Structures are given as structure tokens and as C-alpha cells.
Amino acid sequence: MSALRILVPVKRVIDYAVKPRVNKAQTAVETAGVKHSMNPFDELSIEESVRIREKKSYHGGVEDIVAFSCGPPKAADILRTAMAMGADRGIHIEVKDGEDIEPLGIAKLLKAVVEREKINLVLLGKQSIDDDSGQTGQMLAGLLGWSQATQASSVNFKDGKVEVSQEVDGGNETVRGALPMIITTDLRLNEPRYASLPNIMKAKKKKIEKLSVVDLGVDVSRKLKTVKVIGKSCIPTRESYANEIRTSDKTGR
């Protein structure tokens, strides 16, 4: 039984506590001078990867936890946070500040990294709280031809298989699949740890490999064009999701 080689994509997004606003040109959300942090759903993925290692949930053990981010130079800070939480190393696909790559482009980049690093498990957030697309995990599974489980509220290993539970209308659904596998994470999965100061210092010594889109030979040209962004932002935050969960607990729905 081979060890797990886990890839965890993490995204730099506007911090969940910040109220986003549309820029003056009405072409996108204003990002200049705005606090950014790791996408909350990606925090869950890092935490779950580290827990799998710590709890020795998989009999073959965990050989490597690789954090991946595609973004401007400042995205390296998010990778450092991921490594302070327990990732072994990072891969940074650096793009220009303000350059936004669509989910399909990200899925293509992830496919190239999976093949390059011989990954057999990808754990990623079910969506990012900026564009809220919720597509990358499913697209990656399609490109790789791997089994997938979405919106995981629990991940367990049993008899050489991966069992993933998710909440559905009226209850829970559990699916079972074999590695290699794609799993997208939901809020009930765990409570992410805070990166301690000693671990933050240790993370500074961990390796971040910088690559470009050209290095991976992937076409990430955009297929869609944003014509105009209007009205108040309705980007969901971690708090809004938490409030939704508390409400569902009370109502049973």
C-alpha cells in the first residue's frame, strides 16, 4: 500500500471579515489596499490533510503534503500560512497582480502538478469566497478521470477505500471510492488550527517552488469576459456560512 501524496490548493482571497465593494470602473471587486487571507474552505483542506497524518488514518501513512497556489507574488504569504499549519512545502504559480484565471485554467494547472508530483489525493475547498464558482474540483476530476467526492463533512479510510460523507437534503450521504481521488471540503469537516509562532518561524525555512504557466505548458486563456459588475456585493463569508449552519441546526433543515 503506497503512502499518500496529498495536494492542497489554497487561494488568496479578500478576508472574510472585509466587506467587498465594486471598483469605480465597475469591472471587478476592489482589491487594492484590501486585507487578504487564505480562502476559509482551503483552511479546512490543509487541516484535514495534517490530521490524516497525525491520526495515522491511512495505513500507508502520508509521505508528502504539498500546498499549491496560483496568484500574484503576495500569494506566497498564503503558502507560508499553509506550511505553518502543517504542509511540507509549497508550489507557487506566479501570475500578474489582477490577472484572474478561470476555474478550468486552474484545473488544468492542477492536473499538470498532480502528474508532475505523482499525487494520489487532492483535497481542496468546495469553493472560494470571491468568485464562488465551486467548479475546480469537479473539473479536475474530469480532466484526470479520477473518482471524486464533494462537500465533504467527514473523510475516513476503511479497507483500502476512502469513505466521504456529505450533508444532503434530509440527512447524510456517504460515498466510497478508491485512490487516486479528488475531495472537496465543506465547513463541518473540521475546525482549522491557528498557526503558532514557532510553526510560522519553521515555515520560513520550508521550500516554495516558483513556476510559471509556461513551465507547465498549460493554456489558461480566458473563455469568458466580465462585462460589468453592479450592485452591492453578495460574496458569502465564512460568518454567513456559519450563521446558515446554526440556523439549519435549529430548524432541522
Side-chain angles (χ1 to χ4, degrees), residues 1-142:
M1 183 181 293
S2 60
L4 289 178
R5 296 182 58 84
I6 305 175
L7 178 66
V8 186
V10 294
K11 187 176 183 181
R12 179 178 180 265
V13 299
I14 294 176
D15 189 85
Y16 69 87
V18 174
K19 185 177 181 180
R21 55 189 175 84
V22 177
N23 62 19
K24 292 182 180 180
Q26 292 187 315
T27 56
V29 171
E30 183 61 66
T31 58
V34 178
K35 181 183 178 183
H36 286 67
S37 60
M38 187 189 301
N39 180 49
F41 291 103
D42 300 337
E43 292 179 355
L44 301 167
S45 302
I46 287 288
E47 177 65 28
E48 192 65 21
S49 301
V50 176
R51 289 190 185 191
I52 292 171
R53 167 180 279 165
E54 291 176 341
K55 295 180 178 180
K56 300 179 180 179
S57 304
Y58 184 69
H59 292 302
V62 176
E63 180 181 343
D64 204 8
I65 300 175
V66 183
F68 165 97
S69 191
C70 177
K74 289 184 179 179
D77 296 338
I78 304 305
L79 287 171
R80 292 291 179 197
T81 300
M83 291 188 290
M85 292 174 66
D88 299 312
R89 55 193 176 95
I91 294 176
H92 183 193
I93 307 298
E94 192 168 317
V95 297
K96 295 178 181 178
D97 201 356
E99 184 179 352
D100 186 26
I101 298 180
E102 294 172 343
L104 179 58
I106 296 296
K108 290 178 179 179
L109 290 171
L110 289 172
K111 177 179 182 290
V113 172
V114 163
E115 293 171 345
R116 180 177 184 265
E117 301 293 330
K118 296 180 173 56
I119 300 297
N120 54 14
L121 177 63
V122 181
L123 279 168
L124 68 161
K126 70 171 184 176
Q127 64 197 85
S128 59
I129 64 171
D130 49 6
D131 58 26
D132 226 32
S133 295
Q135 299 173 340
T136 305
Q138 292 88 329
M139 287 179 170
L140 178 59

Side-chain angles (χ1 to χ4, degrees), residues 187-199:
L187 282 176
R188 288 195 188 274
L189 181 59
N190 57 53
E191 182 66 31
R193 69 193 66 193
Y194 289 99
S196 65
L197 181 57
N199 286 336

